[in-house]
Amino acid sequence: MQIPECIQLIERGFPKKIDKLIWADLGCGNGLFTKALASLLGKKSKIFALDKTHQIIEPIYHYSEIEFIKTDFVGEPLTLKNLDGVLMANSLHYVKDKPKLILEI
């Protein structure tokens, strides 16, 4: 899958580009959907990309800031506050107790 395909899958859930939004991508993997998200958010936005396996997500110039955090978002408390949105492109499928996680988020 390529970034344009990812954008098509998620773009309907986003308003027009708004600066300074803060999002989290839970279970970001290699960052493919993180980059798609970055292209949909305003330039001054920030994305926290979380995964339990260390990832190196190359920055996308002229798009949102991306900060990688190595953590198990299911097994450890989510310490991020004041998020405007959360992306879980594929990771929710692997969560056993989905209602519990969604309530915690």
Side-chain angles (χ1 to χ4, degrees):
M1 187 175 289
Q2 301 293 320
I3 291 176
E5 294 169 298
C6 297
I7 291 170
Q8 285 182 333
L9 289 172
I10 64 175
E11 70 184 338
R12 291 190 310 191
F14 295 91
K16 299 286 182 195
K17 288 188 180 188
I18 300 173
D19 283 344
K20 294 191 176 186
L21 292 177
I22 301 172
W23 275 68
D25 181 2
L26 305 182
C28 67
N30 66 8
L32 185 64
F33 276 92
T34 308
K35 292 176 182 180
L37 175 61
S39 72
L40 294 170
L41 299 177
K43 293 179 184 179
K44 296 178 183 176
S45 295
K46 182 168 185 168
I47 301 168
F48 294 100
L50 285 68
D51 204 283
K52 62 183 175 182
T53 304
H54 181 74
Q55 304 290 331
I56 297 174
I57 301 173
E58 296 294 325
I60 305 173
Y61 299 103
H62 308 296
Y63 291 110
S64 309
E65 176 187 353
I66 299 170
E67 179 182 331
F68 176 76
I69 300 171
K70 185 176 185 264
T71 188
D72 179 0
F73 68 89
V74 176
E76 299 173 20
L78 189 62
T79 59
L80 301 173
K81 304 289 183 209
N82 301 319
L83 295 173
D84 295 301
V86 173
L87 176 65
M88 296 179 75
N90 195 30
S91 58
L92 189 59
H93 298 290
Y94 299 100
V95 175
K96 289 182 182 177
D97 193 348
K98 293 169 182 58
K100 179 183 176 193
L101 177 67
I102 290 170
L103 289 173
E104 287 175 5
I105 293 171

